[in-house]
Amino acid sequence: MTPGSNLTDGARNFRLRMAVIDRETETALDMTRDRYGRTVRPDAVADVRARRDRAAVEAYTTYLAPGADALLDTARRALDELPPARHLDGWRTVLDSLAASTAAIRRGLERPTAPGTAGERAQYKALWPHLTAWADHGFIASHLADLDQRQHHKAPLTGEEQQMWTARARAAQRRGELELTESWYAADGQPITLAYLVEDDDSTVVALRGDPDAPGWQVIGHYAHEYEAGQILPAAVPPGVLRADVSELNRAAPAPEVSLQELIRDIVESQHAGDASNALLGVTQRGHDAGPMVRLQELLETGAQFAGALETVQGRQIAARLAALGRQVAFLTREVEEAAEDLGATVAVLPPHRTPVPRFRPGPAVDTAPPTPPPRTSTAARHR
């Protein structure tokens, strides 16, 4: 076991423990909300978060505190040896931020307060953002500390072989027989994609460098199977994030939400046009407690942002499709809203002849004979 792996074990165990704490906290917080997601027990929320903060501090002192500084030092040395790439400045900023959080946590824990007091709660609450910084971003430090600097990929193909394999792969792509299976980024920031190159009912694992849907990509190797490719090719670096400020452990409180099923039921149970109109307007409501149609538009727009952030040819094409769908949903939302308002303006009720179906039908009187069934008539079979 290498020194780097000894250091990263604690960081990984801390992230795993924080994930468990997060799940337990969300489960407990669910008990403080009504069915629409509104908080109805604020005192219980404070207790749940206090238990969460204490558990996080205990996890840090158990798993991460003994080796946090050494882990960061090892990660910085590994970062300095990497080839230039767009992501390195961001990684260096993350390491600096983790070092600042480590110092803040140390200062906080050096001033202990009486257990169970309001002072301890306040202290642990102040440490929570720094603890979640390690849980959210510590994987970058772990990745750098685990880097095996002896692994430097050398293309196994000569220039002529690379041209030949690239031409074969592009021909297979035109035939629809280049099956992409996995993609990652190497330390130099270049994308690598594994694919099966199919020729005459036979397939070969090949590795491509560059965007497979853009001009200029090349085959950098061919292998007997994917495991061999993974042993030879440059290791994957951690993928990026869509929004840099998002934390899995610091989510905003869920907005109140009425499900489509409840809105449909509201219409079914309505007798006045105004009630049905209000249910329809519920799907188009905007703001903090937005309706399902507005949320769908937001989902499509966010999906378009993600697809565009992939920075690939197909990603940009899919982003354009999702953005167009979002605009269509926005148009449809306005149409539903106008129709709902028109429905409410009708000032109408359902006609009385739409009577409910009785749940119980009266049976025959005790002294009443059942009705005589009609005589059965037989039809003679016709023969050809």
Side-chain angles (χ1 to χ4, degrees), residues 58-324:
E58 292 172 353
Y60 180 87
T61 56
T62 300
Y63 298 113
L64 195 53
D69 291 324
L71 174 63
L72 291 173
D73 290 341
T74 303
R76 284 196 180 94
R77 288 194 297 270
L79 184 61
D80 291 338
E81 297 179 17
L82 291 177
R86 288 173 57 187
H87 58 273
L88 297 191
D89 286 342
W91 282 7
R92 189 167 284 107
T93 301
V94 168
L95 295 182
D96 292 341
S97 175
L98 292 176
S101 289
T102 302
I105 296 169
R106 184 183 299 112
R107 287 193 301 270
L109 296 180
E110 286 174 351
R111 298 191 297 271
T113 56
T117 63
E120 185 189 58
R121 281 194 174 198
Q123 180 190 55
Y124 288 174
K125 181 179 180 180
L127 295 181
W128 172 255
H130 298 291
L131 296 166
T132 57
W134 265 103
D136 287 330
H137 307 140
F139 68 91
I140 292 177
S142 296
H143 168 77
L144 288 167
D146 269 345
L147 280 179
D148 183 357
Q149 298 300 324
R150 294 170 298 177
Q151 182 190 25
H152 295 286
H153 172 67
K154 295 181 180 179
L157 304 179
T158 64
E160 183 177 348
E161 288 175 327
Q162 188 175 63
Q163 291 179 2
M164 183 267 291
W165 276 97
T166 301
R168 290 172 61 180
R170 289 179 177 168
Q173 186 183 48
R174 289 191 293 271
R175 298 192 307 269
E177 295 183 330
L178 186 66
E179 302 174 3
L180 308 183
T181 62
E182 186 181 0
S183 180
W184 67 88
Y185 278 86
D188 60 1
Q190 288 295 314
I192 294 177
T193 304
L194 285 185
Y196 282 98
L197 192 163
V198 181
E199 296 173 311
D200 300 327
D201 296 329
D202 190 20
S203 64
T204 304
V205 176
V206 294
L208 321 176
R209 181 181 289 275
D211 182 355
D213 296 298
W217 60 267
Q218 292 182 318
V219 173
I220 60 173
H222 59 92
Y223 312 94
H225 40 69
E226 292 187 28
Y227 178 77
E228 181 188 23
Q231 295 296 109
I232 298 175
L233 288 167
V237 300
V241 295
L242 179 61
R243 296 177 183 172
D245 60 344
V246 171
S247 167
E248 294 184 6
L249 299 172
N250 289 296
R251 302 182 188 92
E257 187 174 54
V258 180
S259 70
L260 278 173
Q261 290 186 8
E262 291 195 54
L263 293 171
I264 293 170
R265 187 183 64 190
D266 288 346
I267 295 179
V268 171
E269 295 175 352
S270 296
Q271 294 176 310
H272 297 261
D275 295 335
S277 170
N278 289 336
L280 287 169
L281 289 173
V283 302
T284 66
Q285 184 168 303
R286 295 170 177 80
H288 176 64
D289 50 350
M293 292 192 73
V294 176
R295 292 296 187 203
L296 175 59
Q297 180 187 349
E298 183 181 358
L299 174 66
L300 293 171
E301 291 173 348
T302 306
Q305 293 171 10
F306 181 91
L310 294 175
E311 299 183 5
T312 62
V313 170
Q314 281 203 20
R316 287 188 288 271
Q317 293 172 350
I318 294 170
R321 290 169 56 190
L322 289 172

Side-chain angles (χ1 to χ4, degrees), residues 340-359:
E341 290 172 348
D342 291 344
L343 178 62
T346 60
V347 193
V349 297
L350 293 174
H353 64 77
R354 300 185 65 87
T355 58
V357 175
R359 291 187 178 86

